[in-house]
Amino acid sequence: MALLLAGMAQAQRPDAALAEWELHGRSEGLARPDTVCQDFLQAMGRKPAELEYLGCTQDDDSYIQPMEARYRVSGASAAKIEAYLQQTFGMPSLTYVCCGWSSGAPYFWHEQPGSVKYQIGMGVESLHHPRTQWSAIPYFTVTVAVNRKGP
């Protein structure tokens, strides 16, 4: 029992967590265990001026320890940001389903093998306004998330 507890204490140390990330996490596209919740687009140097950073949340109690940065963009600029996210990250086009516009199923992007996988999405819950009338929608939300542990 003491050996098991000693092993668990070792796994909780920052240097042990970083070593585990080097062995497995990096190749899985996980963010480093010491990653700070932040404006991920700004940190990548890829944040368009039209996006307003709203904050970042993290869930350390979750098994995968996710972090999610949230942004908003006016309906008037939404088509421009959608095009930017498509060109820069390959995000799918927004489609209207049921109750809002969405980029659909989770979409992941990484710059190169061994780099962090970012989950990128855009959408809004609203009445059905055609694309030509997106300016009638006050704001769309953009999210950029990372995981610090694998499932």
Side-chain angles (χ1 to χ4, degrees):
M1 179 72 164
L3 185 57
L4 177 63
L5 292 175
M8 289 173 60
Q10 173 73 12
Q12 300 303 321
R13 289 191 7 228
D15 56 338
L18 191 54
E20 176 63 24
W21 176 81
E22 287 287 352
L23 284 174
H24 303 289
R26 179 190 299 265
S27 64
E28 294 174 18
L30 300 175
R32 288 174 51 112
D34 57 354
T35 298
V36 176
C37 204
Q38 61 187 304
D39 180 341
F40 293 120
L41 292 176
Q42 183 71 37
M44 285 189 271
R46 295 175 182 224
K47 181 179 167 199
E50 295 84 359
L51 276 181
E52 178 186 357
Y53 174 65
L54 299 175
C56 187
T57 58
Q58 69 185 55
D59 185 356
D60 291 337
D61 294 330
S62 169
Y63 183 73
I64 59 174
Q65 294 187 343
M67 294 179 172
E68 181 179 83
R70 295 182 62 76
Y71 307 83
R72 72 177 182 178
V73 60
S74 70
S77 296
K80 180 179 180 180
I81 294 301
E82 177 193 27
Y84 173 81
L85 295 173
Q86 288 172 320
Q87 291 173 333
T88 305
F89 302 109
M91 184 190 80
S93 296
L94 272 61
T95 56
Y96 191 86
V97 178
C98 171
C99 311
W101 287 94
S102 171
S103 54
Y107 174 75
F108 293 90
W109 173 87
H110 60 93
E111 194 162 14
Q112 60 193 14
S115 65
V116 175
K117 283 185 187 174
Y118 293 90
Q119 181 177 334
I120 300 171
M122 181 175 174
V124 64
E125 189 173 314
S126 75
L127 298 174
H128 186 261
H129 295 280
R131 287 176 173 274
T132 57
Q133 295 177 10
W134 276 4
S135 60
I137 301 171
Y139 292 101
F140 284 67
T141 300
V142 173
T143 57
V144 179
V146 298
N147 293 327
R148 291 174 288 151
K149 287 192 175 182

